[in-house]
Amino acid sequence: KAAGFIVLTLFSAFFILFPDNSIQDQFAHFASVEFNTTFQILAHLLLFYTAWRWRSWQPVLVDLAVSLPLNITLQLVKHFLTADFAIRPSGGFGGFPSGHASATFSLAFLLSIYYPRLWTVWYVAAGLVTWSRVQTNAHTELQIAAGMIFGSILAYICVLWLGPAKNKKLSETQG
C-alpha cells in the first residue's frame, strides 16, 4: 500500500515543483500511449499467468468476458453517439466514453480481485492513464468519468457472474 501512495505523492510533487507545461505534456503523452499500452498488455499477460498458475481457465474467461463486451459496446456508442458531450476537446467525435479509462479501470478492478495486496499499484496506473487523457486534450473530465464508471461496473458484473470467489484457489489465498 505504501508504495502506491509514495508513487502518487512523488508524481503530484513533480508537477507542483515543475509546472513547466512542456514537461507535463511530454509525460502525459508518454502515459497516454506507451504506458497505457504496456499496462494493458502486462495486465492481460498477468491474468493469463494466473490462469496457468492455478491450472484454471477462470481468470482468462473473466478477462475475455470483460474485454470483449467492453470494446464492442464502446465502439458502438462512440460510432452512434453524436451529442455535444461526446465531442472531444480537439473537436472530433467518438470521445464518450473514454476507451482508455474503461479499459484501464476494468483491468485495475480485475487485477485487484486476483492480487488484492497490489490494488494501489493497479489503480495508480489506471489513474495515471486517465489523467494523461485529460492533459493531452483527448477527453473531457465527463468522458473520463463515464469511462471509469463503465469499465468498473462491467468488470464488477462479470466478476459476479463468473465469480472468481467460486474458485477454490482464490478463496484459499484470501482467507
Side-chain angles (χ1 to χ4, degrees):
K1 292 179 185 179
F5 292 116
I6 290 170
V7 169
L8 188 59
T9 303
L10 291 174
F11 177 71
S12 302
F14 175 77
F15 289 109
I16 292 169
L17 296 173
F18 304 103
D20 181 11
N21 285 338
S22 64
I23 294 173
Q24 287 182 11
D25 291 343
Q26 290 173 7
F27 184 74
H29 180 71
F30 167 79
S32 182
V33 180
E34 287 86 1
F35 180 78
N36 173 59
T37 303
T38 304
F39 174 71
Q40 289 194 33
I41 289 170
L42 290 177
H44 291 296
L45 288 175
L46 185 57
L47 290 169
F48 272 81
Y49 169 75
T50 304
W52 173 79
R53 192 181 71 191
W54 289 0
R55 291 170 176 60
S56 167
W57 283 101
Q58 197 272 339
V60 174
L61 291 176
V62 172
D63 186 21
L64 290 173
V66 172
S67 299
L68 292 177
L70 180 105
N71 287 308
I72 291 169
T73 305
L74 282 173
Q75 293 309 313
L76 287 172
V77 169
K78 287 182 176 208
H79 182 73
F80 292 110
L81 188 63
T82 58
D84 288 341
F85 60 85
I87 298 174
R88 295 176 182 267
S90 60
F93 288 98
F96 185 87
S98 168
H100 284 73
S102 296
T104 55
F105 269 81
S106 66
L107 284 171
F109 182 86
L110 290 179
L111 290 172
S112 67
I113 294 292
Y114 292 103
Y115 298 94
R117 292 182 183 158
L118 298 173
W119 72 271
T120 54
V121 174
W122 313 134
Y123 281 103
V124 166
L128 178 63
V129 171
T130 55
W131 164 82
S132 71
R133 300 303 289 169
V134 174
Q135 183 70 20
T136 58
N137 282 331
H139 291 286
T140 65
E141 290 84 356
L142 174 66
Q143 295 165 349
I144 291 293
M148 291 166 52
I149 292 167
F150 177 66
S152 297
I153 288 174
L154 184 62
Y156 178 74
I157 290 169
C158 289
V159 165
L160 285 179
W161 177 48
L162 294 173
K166 294 177 186 173
N167 190 310
K168 181 181 172 186
K169 293 185 181 186
L170 181 64
S171 57
E172 288 173 0
T173 61
Q174 290 183 350

